[in-house]
Amino acid sequence: MAALTLVSGSVGLITLQNPPVNALSAAVRQGIVDTVQKALSNPQVKAVVICGQNGVFCAGADIKEFSKPMSGPHVVPMIDAIEVANKPVVAAIEGSALGGGLELALGCHYRISQSKAQLGLPEVLLGLLPAAGGTQRLPRLIGVPAALDLITTGRYVTAAEALKLGMVDQVTDKNTVEAAIKFALSVVGQSLESRRISTLPCPCPADMDALFERVMQRVKQSARGAMAPVACVQAVQAAATLPYAQGIQRERELMDTLFTSGQARALQYCFFSQRVVSRWSMPNGARWDNSKPKHVSKVAVIGLGTMGRGITVALALAGLSVVAVETQQQQMMAGQSAVSGMLARAAQKRGVPSVKHQVHYSVELEAVADVELVIEAVFEDLGLKKQIFKRLSSVCKTDTLLCSNTSALDIDELASQTHRPELVVGMHFFAPAHLMKLLEVVYGPRSAPQAVATVMKLGKRIGKVSVAVGNCRGFVSNRMLKLYAEQAVFLVEEGASPEMVDHTLEKFGFPMGLFRMSDLSGLDVGWKVRKAEGLVEPGQMSRVRQGRRYCPLGDLLCEQGRFGQKTGRGWYLYEPAGSREARPDPWLQSFLEEYRARQGLVPRRIDSQEVLERCLYSLINEGFNILQEGIAAGPEDIDMIYVFGFSFPRHRGGPMFYASQVGLSRVLQRLEHYQQQHPDVPYLQPSSLLRRLVSSGSPPIQKWKEVMRTPHSAL
Ligand code: 3H9
């Protein structure tokens, strides 16, 4: 797990060996302790180099061990023992030095980095802090402001930035281990006093108290209830104000609190879930590992509206050749100029003069004849999409994949318009498509596993978290969201204010409450969908449609031209024109009072517990139905869709993980309660899977699949 070899006659080379990322498992830590001791006590060894096998230095503590009882040597004394060594110890950083991996490197006297390496302390993203001395050594090395930035955000830096910050001593394009050995030999005999970071004073700015106050305020605001970023600030404050021995004690205390928290469990669940969803499977048994993706280098995007533009940019930034088609010359010119602007902004963000890209524009659908994959991104109209699919079927090569960017429409119906239904797959992007991380990949009953594999791989290539789901109205994302949104409107109908509902959801951790989000995306979007479903009856106030409870409030606002931010009015008021600040609107308050009076509804006091339970448990209950139907392969798929598509607070793990933490029997009991109160809302009827899980003793989320697979009676 760590091997020692003698190289160049006098350098002890320690190689960490734990594929794929050389995580610091108990065995690796034991290996480091043993090999360091051996190297230091061997008189032949004049210097030590530590590296990782297979081009990766070390990605930190072994996260898989966090759920097991601690065994093996502790990491802090292991690193302290390296720092006090009286022979120079050099870290040869290739690939990644993350978390405990970077902390190990900070305990070494020198750090040589490969130019392509990435360095960082991402513990905060796992609900933890860098507790192997990272919060104490990094500020001493690079100063308090830079250390606070890296530790509280968990962001990675390139080798070039690490050199600029003073985190590494040298960056090389050549063989890193050889460079480190050469460097180690060059410093043999030199004093190591100034190289022991824990013994150095922490360089503190003059306005230190004000700085910590400012950072703490900012971190609390952006953390949305997450504890780890706050603890990170406290630990760095200890580095700035206390000697190392006391600082490390504080680091340990803060870590102890975080380590056993539900938030850390949720964030670590997210880490693994993000990787689990890439290993998709289909109900017919097709899996990621038996489906070879096709090579894709040229893609067409049909339609250069908001979504088409974002998709084009995402593809171009990933180095794919893109043919963008818009049938009207004027719209094409507008789309082209918008795409160019977005690419220029992306270049600016990357700090380069321009991004090399290959985007070709055309007003002819025939221009897509030689692409390997088409993404149709016209607006959400089934008739129009069907026409396009029919034409694509004759224009494209016989093996071209035909994909549709749709948020709800039937993929199978689109597939039936073509001669190749097996090559039709849904690609549900989220706006803005070049920035949002989620891609819902929708397979129909006839989609070929290879087609799904190809789209999943393309998603990864353009930087998305791709989640494969089955075909149903609204797929996983919007099918669940619809019920969550409907409950929020019912609550307002019954007496809550939009501000109160939003405040409750934001306090839970959503960056934006449901009503502010609706105003931002436009109330007319849902109105159009409800019209297409035959639910809208202009000017009508009836509260039962298609046999179930309906709230016409959204329709009534739209009829008044209140579409949200874009019209300056929606659930909130945006003044002056163009303002993005949502202000309570006295007009809306009187409108709601009048509406309730006309409906004979007596407004009641609604507390935040009811808001949370009705909104979230409706979402969760539909999640169980989706699992039961096999539309999502597991709870991880649903959770990643909500974390990456709707900013569900990551430190709560996603709706299904949250349900497991609340307790499934509690969720069931509250759903039964609300179902009794609202018998006209069918989806409050608890899912049979939820009932089965509760009667199976509410197993942990990792075991739900066993209950899902158990045959059951529908009676
Ligand atoms: C820490 O260090 C605490 C310390 O302060 C000490 C406290 C006392 N452990 O991402 P990939 C697995 S906390 C265990 O697909 P990539 C991963 O699950 C740690 N396993 O590859 C996957 O397994 P599988 C702080 C790990 O090339 C496989 O490796 N460190 C770990 O896209 C490949 O991973 C971090 O948070 C780990 N530490 O990206 C770093 N890391 O194949 C987390 C990865 O079974 N890691 N695995 O699904 C990463 O950010 C990325 O994995 C990395 C590679 C950039 C390294």
Side-chain angles (χ1 to χ4, degrees):
M1 289 292 172
L4 174 65
T5 44
L6 192 66
V7 292
S8 300
S10 58
V11 175
L13 178 67
I14 295 175
T15 309
L16 313 185
Q17 299 170 333
N18 185 13
V21 294
N22 300 319
L24 294 170
S25 62
V28 172
R29 297 197 306 277
Q30 190 62 59
I32 294 173
V33 168
D34 294 346
T35 48
V36 166
Q37 200 185 17
K38 236 190 227 168
L40 296 181
S41 57
N42 182 342
Q44 239 184 308
V45 172
K46 303 289 179 229
V48 177
V49 168
I50 303 181
C51 68
Q53 74 171 8
N54 298 332
V56 180
F57 181 68
C58 172
D62 189 337
I63 307 167
K64 290 185 184 109
E65 283 188 354
F66 288 171
S67 53
K68 299 177 191 156
M70 164 85 188
S71 66
H74 280 271
V75 71
V76 169
M78 174 190 93
I79 293 174
D80 285 350
I82 292 171
E83 194 185 63
V84 298
N86 52 11
K87 297 175 187 181
V89 183
V90 181
I93 299 173
E94 292 177 299
S96 302
L98 301 173
L102 179 57
E103 292 173 292
L104 169 65
L106 292 174
C108 298
H109 304 117
Y110 300 93
R111 287 154 293 282
I112 310 297
S113 175
Q114 174 202 41
S115 56
K116 290 195 178 119
Q118 54 179 358
L119 299 87
L121 293 173
E123 285 87 341
V124 69
L125 305 174
L126 298 169
L128 306 173
L129 52 73
T135 65
Q136 304 304 299
R137 285 195 177 91
L138 194 63
R140 285 178 161 82
L141 185 63
I142 66 172
V144 169
L148 276 170
D149 168 33
L150 295 196
I151 294 173
T152 59
T153 62
R155 80 177 176 90
Y156 299 167
V157 294
T158 59
E161 189 179 350
L163 184 66
K164 218 159 128 191
L165 287 170
M167 279 163 79
V168 298
D169 301 286
Q170 202 179 84
V171 173
T172 178
D173 282 325
K174 306 209 174 84
N175 183 312
T176 314
V177 177
E178 280 173 14
I181 292 168
K182 201 167 146 202
F183 184 93
L185 286 169
S186 75
V187 292
V188 169
Q190 289 184 15
S191 165
L192 294 171
E193 284 311 304
S194 64
R195 309 300 312 179
R196 297 189 176 108
I197 299 173
S198 75
T199 65
L200 305 177
C202 186
C204 294
D207 60 344
M208 199 176 63
D209 291 347
L211 170 79
F212 276 109
E213 215 165 286
R214 244 186 356 258
V215 172
M216 185 59 101
Q217 227 169 23
R218 201 185 58 225
V219 160
K220 275 189 177 160
Q221 203 170 18
S222 61
R224 297 191 266 132
M227 297 170 349
V230 173
C232 285
V233 178
Q234 291 168 328
V236 174
Q237 197 159 14
T241 51
L242 299 171
Y244 175 75
Q246 286 172 37
I248 205 91
Q249 182 63 29
R250 181 81 180 117
E251 180 187 272
R252 161 120 232 151
E253 288 160 10
L254 289 163
M255 177 66 155
D256 285 348
T257 311
L258 295 177
F259 196 76
T260 50
S261 68
Q263 292 196 0
R265 272 202 299 280
L267 286 157
Q268 288 155 30
Y269 163 83
C270 285
F271 175 84
F272 289 115
S273 297
Q274 194 176 333
R275 283 145 185 92
V276 163
V277 297
S278 65
R279 297 191 286 258
W280 54 276
S281 61
M282 286 160 75
N284 63 8
R287 280 167 50 88
W288 60 281
D289 51 357
N290 54 21
S291 314
K292 197 170 177 301
K294 280 171 59 171
H295 175 72
V296 174
S297 59
K298 193 167 183 184
V299 180
V301 178
I302 315 286
L304 274 179
T306 312
M307 293 309 287
R309 292 172 192 181
I311 296 168
T312 301
V313 170
L315 294 164
L317 288 175
L320 285 134
S321 169
V322 188
V323 181
V325 178
E326 178 58 77
T327 48
Q328 303 293 323
Q329 182 73 26
Q330 207 180 347
Q331 277 150 349
M332 196 201 70
M333 300 295 284
Q336 182 169 356
S337 122
V339 167
S340 304
M342 286 153 88
L343 287 169
R345 279 193 294 282
Q348 202 179 16
K349 217 168 153 191
R350 291 179 182 186
V352 291
S354 65
V355 181
K356 225 173 117 201
H357 62 86
Q358 300 175 56
V359 185
H360 306 280
Y361 298 88
S362 176
V363 286
E364 304 293 340
L365 199 65
E366 284 65 26
V368 311
D370 66 339
V371 304
E372 289 120 10
L373 188 145
V374 179
I375 305 173
E376 162 280 302
V378 303
F379 59 84
E380 205 74 335
D381 175 327
L382 187 60
L384 176 65
K385 285 185 187 266
K386 276 161 83 171
Q387 269 176 30
I388 292 175
F389 268 71
K390 207 174 239 168
R391 279 197 64 200
L392 286 173
S393 179
S394 50
V395 169
C396 295
K397 293 186 291 183
T398 50
D399 58 352
T400 299
L401 263 77
L402 304 181
C403 305
S404 174
N405 169 57
T406 169
S407 58
L409 298 177
D410 186 348
I411 292 303
D412 202 32
E413 205 165 335
L414 294 179
S416 65
Q417 306 302 308
T418 72
H419 308 304
R420 55 191 98 162
E422 70 285 1
L423 296 185
V424 174
V425 177
M427 289 179 87
H428 178 197
F429 285 87
F430 288 69
H434 60 304
L435 298 178
M436 288 291 285
K437 288 284 281 181
L438 179 67
L439 176 66
E440 211 176 8
V441 174
V442 189
Y443 54 81
R446 291 179 283 175
S447 305
Q450 190 188 35
V452 178
T454 306
V455 176
M456 289 292 283
K457 188 164 173 217
L458 178 65
K460 183 161 187 185
R461 186 162 163 201
I462 62 175
K464 305 293 177 202
V465 173
S466 308
V467 185
V469 302
N471 186 29
C472 66
R473 176 124 199 114
F475 317 131
V476 170
S477 54
N478 286 332
R479 173 171 160 182
M480 287 168 67
L481 187 75
K482 188 173 173 227
L483 313 187
Y484 162 81
E486 200 169 80
Q487 281 300 317
V489 181
F490 287 167
L491 286 158
V492 167
E493 192 173 47
E494 291 164 33
S497 67
E499 301 86 90
M500 183 269 175
V501 173
D502 279 356
H503 177 71
T504 305
L505 295 170
E506 284 160 18
K507 211 161 157 233
F508 177 77
F510 282 103
M512 216 180 260
L514 190 276
F515 294 102
R516 285 213 292 140
M517 192 174 89
S518 303
D519 272 2
L520 181 67
S521 45
L523 269 61
D524 51 325
V525 180
W527 192 35
K528 222 185 241 170
V529 174
R530 292 193 296 278
K531 274 186 190 166
E533 288 175 345
L535 282 163
V536 175
E537 297 166 5
Q540 293 303 305
M541 302 278 279
S542 106
R543 292 179 53 237
V544 177
R545 300 206 188 158
Q546 298 180 356
R548 46 185 284 251
R549 178 169 172 188
Y550 183 81
C551 173
L553 275 172
D555 302 342
L556 296 172
L557 292 183
C558 285
E559 280 168 27
Q560 307 231 12
R562 297 180 68 109
F563 292 166
Q565 265 190 33
K566 57 183 154 190
T567 56
R569 284 168 169 71
W571 293 103
Y572 292 94
L573 182 63
Y574 301 87
E575 265 184 351
S579 162
R580 287 162 160 252
E581 196 197 332
R583 301 210 333 240
D585 187 348
W587 177 90
L588 189 93
Q589 204 184 332
S590 343
F591 168 76
L592 288 175
E593 280 166 14
E594 204 180 302
Y595 169 85
R596 291 182 194 123
R598 283 180 65 185
Q599 297 281 14
L601 290 166
V602 180
R604 58 186 182 86
R605 252 190 85 77
I606 293 174
D607 62 14
S608 52
Q609 183 187 339
E610 181 174 351
V611 171
L612 273 188
E613 288 182 343
R614 280 178 58 188
C615 290
L616 296 180
Y617 294 179
S618 302
L619 188 76
I620 289 165
N621 195 40
E622 196 61 9
F624 282 115
N625 287 330
I626 281 170
L627 289 176
Q628 169 92 34
E629 292 166 27
I631 295 290
E636 299 89 352
D637 300 78
I638 297 177
D639 285 334
M640 291 305 97
I641 286 173
Y642 268 79
V643 165
F644 287 103
F646 299 104
S647 302
F648 193 98
R650 209 179 153 89
H651 60 271
R652 297 196 188 266
M656 306 318 282
F657 186 85
Y658 175 67
S660 76
Q661 290 212 315
V662 169
L664 298 186
S665 47
R666 163 96 188 152
V667 175
L668 174 60
Q669 182 213 332
R670 299 305 290 161
L671 277 166
E672 284 170 340
H673 165 77
Y674 290 119
Q675 189 208 359
Q676 269 178 10
Q677 288 194 334
H678 306 277
D680 51 353
V681 182
Y683 56 78
L684 289 174
Q685 164 89 34
S687 153
S688 64
L689 175 61
L690 172 59
R691 286 192 189 283
R692 282 199 292 137
L693 283 163
V694 171
S695 56
S696 311
S698 300
I701 196 162
Q702 291 78 7
K703 304 242 172 206
W704 287 7
K705 279 190 189 155
E706 290 170 20
V707 177
M708 282 159 60
R709 279 194 287 264
T710 319
H712 63 284
S713 158
L715 294 176

